[in-house]
């Protein structure tokens, strides 16, 4: 046994059988996420063990603050911490204990042990118990929602062929390093069934009309201002013509999520504006939209765009509303991306622009009330990929491609590759098992050429660090191979201030104090986490585990691709420095979601270091 990432026992490597219940599957998926997050955040990067007294066990999880250890089976040993576990866990007084001294642990008992260990970092007992209780509630909140999503998926037929909408709505288990990946605070059970993408729903948008002097908006293009803008849905324009009195026909339309509209109507400042007639509630107007993997961003297929709407609910770590700084960040980021779009984007590498935003801003009211109105009414318009409505060749959300649906034995990625191959071949030539018949090393090389290479080049030459984690990334396939890579959600990008200055963007494209500007160290740090740790390590683990291989040969493909890119650079260039850092740094940064969730640091998450798998 080497220290490389290895599948421990190939004879035991199985996906969940189709007979497994959604509840049990949700428990296993939740436990896997808690364990992976806990091990990563306590620097237990290689939890492999061999015990003379119990040779069937291969996993140890140390709980040093509470002086205990959990033992189990390690089915896959991952360089970046995406371990896969057996379904039985034990505890014993010591590693030397005889078989009768080992006690099997339930999901609830393991959860208690992990929460006790994590919470022990808080010295104040009262604060500790309060935070621990809240985190425990969110673990079970997430578990309950995940169970309902898996049950719905198991009882609902999947489409004959995969499509854009289905992949947007099939992120059933979520972030692989998060203790509460599907927690929702604010949605009732009926709300979730009406508005959660995991239930495959669509719904009509609501709309408000506001006096022009109360509207806060900014756009890349002047044509998008006001209610006559081409992006305003026809349904909303028709509702305004029908329901607005003549003296209010010049009011500006504000699209709104129906849940959020109901919430906003309960706020006193909103009630006051409605009574004064400065704000008019047009109710449910349409169009019909589909919630996507982020829940609050919805896809409008008719007008081929996305609306990133505000929702006053906590999804995982955050209340999902767009505050004024986030609106500014988003549009500043889009303005900078617009500067480089012609030179850096192509059919194979695309960045979806945020076209602008609109919200409500009432003068001469307390700042806290002002902030609540801006955040509550804010809406961001985003481009949709041109091929999103295509019957074939649409891009798929990478996070959903990594999911293994209940009753299935492999991630959706393998089905997507299979369908892509079948659509381009004759019946006699069709591949029947893509896991065996696809050269996955060549597949990964092509994937890296479309994603990693342009991301690194873009960062090194322009300073733009895209937040290309798996939920912000989409992949289009042709003949089963990667054909196009799409990045979305520009609010999370960071731009190297020094390079922005060199390109004349400061004070010309964005202000000197723009929240999108970062130091070189910060912007590079975010690139390392979002793409290499969050994104690439997940793809590598899925390819290795489900093809029955070790991870390290896939990481060698990553390293070789970076080395080939480095050969095209000069030693003194910035890109050479970036590549050397990626190849040789001992560690990479990883977000500590377990600790951040406990400490309630959604907006300012904690980070830890993990060993660099590319070394």
């Amino acid at each position: 046994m080497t220290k490389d990432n290895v599948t421990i026992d190939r004879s035991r490597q199985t996906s969940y059988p189709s007979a497994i219940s959604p509840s049990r599957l949700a428990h296993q998926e939740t436990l896997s996420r808690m364990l992976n997050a806990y091990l990563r955040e306590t620097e237990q990067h290689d939890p492999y063990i061999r015990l003379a007294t119990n040779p069937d066990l291969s996993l140890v999880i140390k709980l040093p603050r509470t002086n205990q250890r959990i033992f189990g089976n390690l089915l896959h040993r991952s360089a970046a911490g995406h371990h896969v576990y057996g379904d039985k866990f034990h505890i014993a007084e010591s590693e030397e204990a005889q078989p009768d001294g080992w006690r099997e642990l339930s999901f609830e008992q393991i959860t208690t042990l992990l929460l006790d260990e994590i919470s022990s970092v808080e010295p104040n007992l009262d604060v500790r118990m309060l935070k621990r209780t809240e985190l425990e509630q969110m673990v079970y909140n997430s578990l309950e929602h995940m169970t309902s999503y898996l049950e719905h998926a198991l009882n609902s037929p999947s489409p004959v062929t995969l499509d854009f909408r289905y992949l947007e709505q099939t992120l059933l288990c979520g972030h692989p390093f998060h203790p509460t990946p599907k927690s929702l605070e604010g949605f009732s059970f009926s709300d979730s069934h009406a508005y959660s993408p995991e239930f495959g729903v669509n719904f009509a948008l609501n709309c408000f009309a506001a006096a022009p002097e109360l509207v806060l908006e900014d756009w890349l293009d002047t044509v998008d201002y006001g209610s006559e803008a081409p992006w305003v849905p026809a349904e909303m324009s028709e509702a305004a013509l029908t329901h607005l009195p003549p003296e209010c026909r010049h009011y500006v339309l504000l699209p709104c999520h129906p849940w959020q509209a109901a919430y906003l109507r309960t706020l006193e400042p909103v009630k006051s504006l409605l009574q004064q007639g400065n704000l008019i509630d047009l109710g449910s107007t349409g169009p019909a939209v589909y919630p996507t993997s982020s829940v609050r961003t919805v896809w409008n297929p008719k007008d081929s765009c996305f609306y990133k709407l505000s929702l006053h609910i906590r999804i995982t770590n955050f209340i999902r509303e767009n505050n004024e700084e986030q609106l500014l960040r988003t549009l500043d980021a889009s303005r900078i991306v617009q500067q480089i779009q012609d030179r850096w984007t192509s059919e194979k590498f695309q960045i979806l622009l945020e076209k602008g935003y609109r919200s409500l801003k009432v003068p001469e009211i307390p700042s806290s009330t002002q902030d609540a109105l801006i955040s509550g009414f804010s809406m961001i318009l985003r481009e949709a990929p041109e091929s999103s409505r295509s019957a074939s060749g649409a891009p798929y959300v990478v996070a959903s491609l990594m999911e293994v649906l209940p009753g299935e034995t492999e991630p959706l990625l393998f089905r997507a590759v299979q369908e892509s191959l079948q659509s381009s071949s004759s019946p006699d030539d069709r591949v029947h098992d893509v896991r065996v018949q696809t050269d996955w090393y060549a597949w990964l090389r092509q994937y890296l050429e479309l994603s990693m290479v342009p991301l690194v080049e873009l960062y090194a030459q322009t300073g733009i660090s895209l937040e290309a984690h798996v939920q912000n990334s989409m992949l289009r396939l042709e003949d089963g191979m990667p054909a196009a890579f799409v990045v979305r959600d520009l609010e999370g990008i960071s731009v190297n201030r020094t390079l922005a200055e060199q390109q004349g963007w400061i004070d010309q494209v964005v202000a000197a104090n723009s929240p999108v500007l970062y130091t070189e160290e910060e912007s590079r740090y975010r690139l390392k986490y979002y793409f290499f740790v969050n994104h690439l390590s997940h793809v590598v683990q899925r390819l290795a585990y489900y093809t029955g291989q070790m991870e390290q040969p896939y990481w060698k493909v990553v390293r070789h691709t970076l080395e080939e890119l480095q050969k095209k650079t000069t030693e003194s260039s910035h890109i050479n420095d970036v590549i050397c850092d990626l190849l040789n740094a001992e560690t990479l940064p990883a977000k500590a979601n377990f600790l951040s969730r406990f400490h309630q640091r959604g907006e300012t998450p904690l980070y830890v270091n993990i060993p660099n798998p590319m070394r």
Side-chain angles (χ1 to χ4, degrees), residues 143-170:
L143 176 66
E144 183 179 6
H145 282 104
M146 191 188 295
T147 301
S148 66
Y149 302 152
L150 292 168
E151 186 171 6
H152 177 268
L154 193 62
N155 295 325
S156 304
S158 64
V160 176
T161 57
L162 299 177
D163 58 38
F164 180 80
R165 180 197 63 79
Y166 183 72
L167 268 292
E168 279 286 5
Q169 299 191 319
T170 314

Short mmCIF file of all heavy atoms in Angstrom, two decimals, residues 143-170:
data_model
loop_
_atom_site.label_atom_id
_atom_site.label_comp_id
_atom_site.label_asym_id
_atom_site.label_seq_id
_atom_site.Cartn_x
_atom_site.Cartn_y
_atom_site.Cartn_z
N LEU A 143 -30.56 16.92 6.00
CA LEU A 143 -30.84 15.49 5.81
C LEU A 143 -32.28 15.28 5.37
O LEU A 143 -32.56 14.49 4.45
CB LEU A 143 -30.56 14.73 7.11
CG LEU A 143 -30.88 13.24 7.12
CD1 LEU A 143 -29.97 12.49 6.17
CD2 LEU A 143 -30.77 12.68 8.54
N GLU A 144 -33.21 15.99 6.00
CA GLU A 144 -34.62 15.85 5.67
C GLU A 144 -34.90 16.29 4.23
O GLU A 144 -35.62 15.62 3.48
CB GLU A 144 -35.47 16.67 6.64
CG GLU A 144 -36.97 16.53 6.41
CD GLU A 144 -37.79 17.34 7.41
OE1 GLU A 144 -37.21 18.09 8.22
OE2 GLU A 144 -39.03 17.22 7.37
N HIS A 145 -34.31 17.44 3.84
CA HIS A 145 -34.52 17.91 2.47
C HIS A 145 -33.87 16.95 1.46
O HIS A 145 -34.48 16.64 0.42
CB HIS A 145 -33.94 19.31 2.30
CG HIS A 145 -34.81 20.39 2.86
ND1 HIS A 145 -34.55 21.02 4.04
CD2 HIS A 145 -35.96 20.93 2.40
CE1 HIS A 145 -35.50 21.92 4.28
NE2 HIS A 145 -36.36 21.87 3.31
N MET A 146 -32.66 16.50 1.76
CA MET A 146 -31.99 15.58 0.83
C MET A 146 -32.80 14.30 0.65
O MET A 146 -32.94 13.80 -0.47
CB MET A 146 -30.58 15.24 1.35
CG MET A 146 -29.72 14.51 0.33
SD MET A 146 -28.15 13.90 1.01
CE MET A 146 -27.32 15.44 1.42
N THR A 147 -33.35 13.80 1.73
CA THR A 147 -34.18 12.59 1.65
C THR A 147 -35.37 12.81 0.72
O THR A 147 -35.68 11.96 -0.13
CB THR A 147 -34.67 12.18 3.05
OG1 THR A 147 -33.55 11.95 3.91
CG2 THR A 147 -35.51 10.91 2.98
N SER A 148 -36.02 13.95 0.86
CA SER A 148 -37.19 14.22 0.02
C SER A 148 -36.80 14.37 -1.44
O SER A 148 -37.53 13.94 -2.34
CB SER A 148 -37.93 15.47 0.52
OG SER A 148 -37.15 16.64 0.36
N TYR A 149 -35.63 14.97 -1.71
CA TYR A 149 -35.18 15.11 -3.10
C TYR A 149 -34.87 13.74 -3.71
O TYR A 149 -35.23 13.46 -4.87
CB TYR A 149 -33.92 15.98 -3.18
CG TYR A 149 -34.05 17.37 -2.61
CD1 TYR A 149 -32.94 18.02 -2.08
CD2 TYR A 149 -35.28 18.03 -2.58
CE1 TYR A 149 -33.05 19.31 -1.55
CE2 TYR A 149 -35.39 19.31 -2.05
CZ TYR A 149 -34.27 19.93 -1.53
OH TYR A 149 -34.37 21.20 -1.00
N LEU A 150 -34.19 12.89 -2.94
CA LEU A 150 -33.84 11.56 -3.45
C LEU A 150 -35.08 10.71 -3.66
O LEU A 150 -35.17 9.96 -4.63
CB LEU A 150 -32.87 10.88 -2.47
CG LEU A 150 -31.47 11.51 -2.37
CD1 LEU A 150 -30.71 10.96 -1.19
CD2 LEU A 150 -30.69 11.29 -3.66
N GLU A 151 -36.05 10.85 -2.76
CA GLU A 151 -37.29 10.10 -2.91
C GLU A 151 -38.04 10.54 -4.17
O GLU A 151 -38.54 9.71 -4.94
CB GLU A 151 -38.17 10.32 -1.67
CG GLU A 151 -39.42 9.46 -1.65
CD GLU A 151 -40.14 9.54 -0.31
OE1 GLU A 151 -39.74 10.33 0.55
OE2 GLU A 151 -41.12 8.79 -0.16
N HIS A 152 -38.06 11.85 -4.40
CA HIS A 152 -38.71 12.37 -5.62
C HIS A 152 -37.99 11.85 -6.86
O HIS A 152 -38.64 11.43 -7.84
CB HIS A 152 -38.71 13.89 -5.61
CG HIS A 152 -39.29 14.49 -6.85
ND1 HIS A 152 -38.52 14.83 -7.94
CD2 HIS A 152 -40.57 14.79 -7.19
CE1 HIS A 152 -39.29 15.33 -8.88
NE2 HIS A 152 -40.54 15.32 -8.46
N ALA A 153 -36.66 11.88 -6.84
CA ALA A 153 -35.89 11.42 -8.01
C ALA A 153 -36.12 9.94 -8.27
O ALA A 153 -36.22 9.51 -9.43
CB ALA A 153 -34.40 11.70 -7.79
N LEU A 154 -36.20 9.15 -7.21
CA LEU A 154 -36.39 7.71 -7.36
C LEU A 154 -37.76 7.39 -7.95
O LEU A 154 -37.92 6.43 -8.70
CB LEU A 154 -36.22 7.02 -6.00
CG LEU A 154 -36.07 5.50 -6.01
CD1 LEU A 154 -34.83 5.09 -6.79
CD2 LEU A 154 -36.01 4.96 -4.60
N ASN A 155 -38.75 8.22 -7.61
CA ASN A 155 -40.13 7.97 -8.06
C ASN A 155 -40.50 8.72 -9.34
O ASN A 155 -41.64 8.62 -9.80
CB ASN A 155 -41.11 8.35 -6.95
CG ASN A 155 -40.96 7.46 -5.73
OD1 ASN A 155 -40.68 6.28 -5.87
ND2 ASN A 155 -41.13 8.02 -4.54
N SER A 156 -39.56 9.48 -9.88
CA SER A 156 -39.83 10.26 -11.09
C SER A 156 -38.96 9.73 -12.23
O SER A 156 -37.75 9.58 -12.06
CB SER A 156 -39.54 11.75 -10.88
OG SER A 156 -40.28 12.24 -9.78
N PRO A 157 -39.54 9.47 -13.36
CA PRO A 157 -38.72 8.98 -14.49
C PRO A 157 -37.77 10.07 -14.97
O PRO A 157 -38.16 11.23 -15.09
CB PRO A 157 -39.75 8.63 -15.56
CG PRO A 157 -40.96 9.47 -15.22
CD PRO A 157 -40.96 9.62 -13.73
N SER A 158 -36.54 9.69 -15.23
CA SER A 158 -35.61 10.65 -15.81
C SER A 158 -35.92 10.80 -17.29
O SER A 158 -36.55 9.92 -17.88
CB SER A 158 -34.17 10.19 -15.61
OG SER A 158 -33.93 8.99 -16.32
N PRO A 159 -35.52 11.90 -17.91
CA PRO A 159 -35.84 12.09 -19.33
C PRO A 159 -35.17 11.03 -20.19
O PRO A 159 -34.17 10.43 -19.80
CB PRO A 159 -35.28 13.49 -19.62
CG PRO A 159 -34.25 13.72 -18.57
CD PRO A 159 -34.72 13.00 -17.36
N VAL A 160 -35.75 10.82 -21.36
CA VAL A 160 -35.19 9.84 -22.28
C VAL A 160 -33.75 10.20 -22.61
O VAL A 160 -32.87 9.35 -22.66
CB VAL A 160 -36.05 9.76 -23.57
CG1 VAL A 160 -35.41 8.80 -24.58
CG2 VAL A 160 -37.46 9.30 -23.23
N THR A 161 -33.51 11.49 -22.82
CA THR A 161 -32.14 11.99 -22.97
C THR A 161 -31.97 13.18 -22.04
O THR A 161 -32.91 13.91 -21.75
CB THR A 161 -31.86 12.43 -24.42
OG1 THR A 161 -32.81 13.41 -24.81
CG2 THR A 161 -31.94 11.25 -25.38
N LEU A 162 -30.77 13.36 -21.56
CA LEU A 162 -30.47 14.47 -20.66
C LEU A 162 -30.66 15.80 -21.38
O LEU A 162 -30.44 15.90 -22.58
CB LEU A 162 -29.03 14.36 -20.14
CG LEU A 162 -28.69 13.10 -19.33
CD1 LEU A 162 -27.22 13.10 -18.95
CD2 LEU A 162 -29.56 13.01 -18.07
N ASP A 163 -31.04 16.81 -20.63
CA ASP A 163 -31.16 18.14 -21.22
C ASP A 163 -30.72 19.20 -20.21
O ASP A 163 -30.45 18.90 -19.04
CB ASP A 163 -32.58 18.41 -21.73
CG ASP A 163 -33.65 18.30 -20.63
OD1 ASP A 163 -33.39 18.71 -19.49
OD2 ASP A 163 -34.75 17.80 -20.93
N PHE A 164 -30.66 20.42 -20.66
CA PHE A 164 -30.14 21.54 -19.87
C PHE A 164 -30.93 21.70 -18.57
O PHE A 164 -30.36 21.78 -17.49
CB PHE A 164 -30.22 22.81 -20.71
CG PHE A 164 -29.73 24.05 -20.03
CD1 PHE A 164 -28.37 24.31 -19.94
CD2 PHE A 164 -30.61 24.97 -19.48
CE1 PHE A 164 -27.90 25.46 -19.31
CE2 PHE A 164 -30.15 26.11 -18.85
CZ PHE A 164 -28.79 26.36 -18.77
N ARG A 165 -32.26 21.74 -18.68
CA ARG A 165 -33.08 21.96 -17.48
C ARG A 165 -32.91 20.83 -16.48
O ARG A 165 -32.77 21.06 -15.28
CB ARG A 165 -34.56 22.07 -17.87
CG ARG A 165 -35.47 22.29 -16.66
CD ARG A 165 -36.92 22.00 -16.97
NE ARG A 165 -37.16 20.62 -17.33
CZ ARG A 165 -37.25 19.62 -16.45
NH1 ARG A 165 -37.07 19.85 -15.16
NH2 ARG A 165 -37.48 18.39 -16.87
N TYR A 166 -32.91 19.59 -16.95
CA TYR A 166 -32.82 18.45 -16.03
C TYR A 166 -31.52 18.52 -15.22
O TYR A 166 -31.52 18.29 -14.02
CB TYR A 166 -32.89 17.15 -16.83
CG TYR A 166 -32.86 15.91 -15.96
CD1 TYR A 166 -33.97 15.56 -15.19
CD2 TYR A 166 -31.74 15.09 -15.90
CE1 TYR A 166 -33.96 14.43 -14.40
CE2 TYR A 166 -31.71 13.97 -15.11
CZ TYR A 166 -32.83 13.63 -14.36
OH TYR A 166 -32.80 12.51 -13.56
N LEU A 167 -30.41 18.83 -15.88
CA LEU A 167 -29.14 18.91 -15.16
C LEU A 167 -29.12 20.08 -14.18
O LEU A 167 -28.51 19.99 -13.11
CB LEU A 167 -27.97 19.00 -16.14
CG LEU A 167 -27.30 17.69 -16.56
CD1 LEU A 167 -26.56 17.05 -15.40
CD2 LEU A 167 -28.28 16.71 -17.17
N GLU A 168 -29.79 21.19 -14.53
CA GLU A 168 -29.86 22.32 -13.60
C GLU A 168 -30.62 21.95 -12.33
O GLU A 168 -30.41 22.55 -11.28
CB GLU A 168 -30.54 23.52 -14.27
CG GLU A 168 -29.65 24.33 -15.17
CD GLU A 168 -28.65 25.19 -14.43
OE1 GLU A 168 -28.58 25.10 -13.19
OE2 GLU A 168 -27.92 25.95 -15.09
N GLN A 169 -31.51 20.98 -12.42
CA GLN A 169 -32.40 20.67 -11.30
C GLN A 169 -32.09 19.32 -10.65
O GLN A 169 -32.92 18.78 -9.92
CB GLN A 169 -33.86 20.72 -11.79
CG GLN A 169 -34.25 22.09 -12.32
CD GLN A 169 -35.74 22.24 -12.55
OE1 GLN A 169 -36.40 21.33 -13.04
NE2 GLN A 169 -36.28 23.39 -12.17
N THR A 170 -30.88 18.80 -10.86
CA THR A 170 -30.57 17.46 -10.37
C THR A 170 -29.36 17.46 -9.44
O THR A 170 -28.68 16.44 -9.31
CB THR A 170 -30.34 16.50 -11.57
OG1 THR A 170 -31.37 16.70 -12.52
CG2 THR A 170 -30.40 15.05 -11.14
#
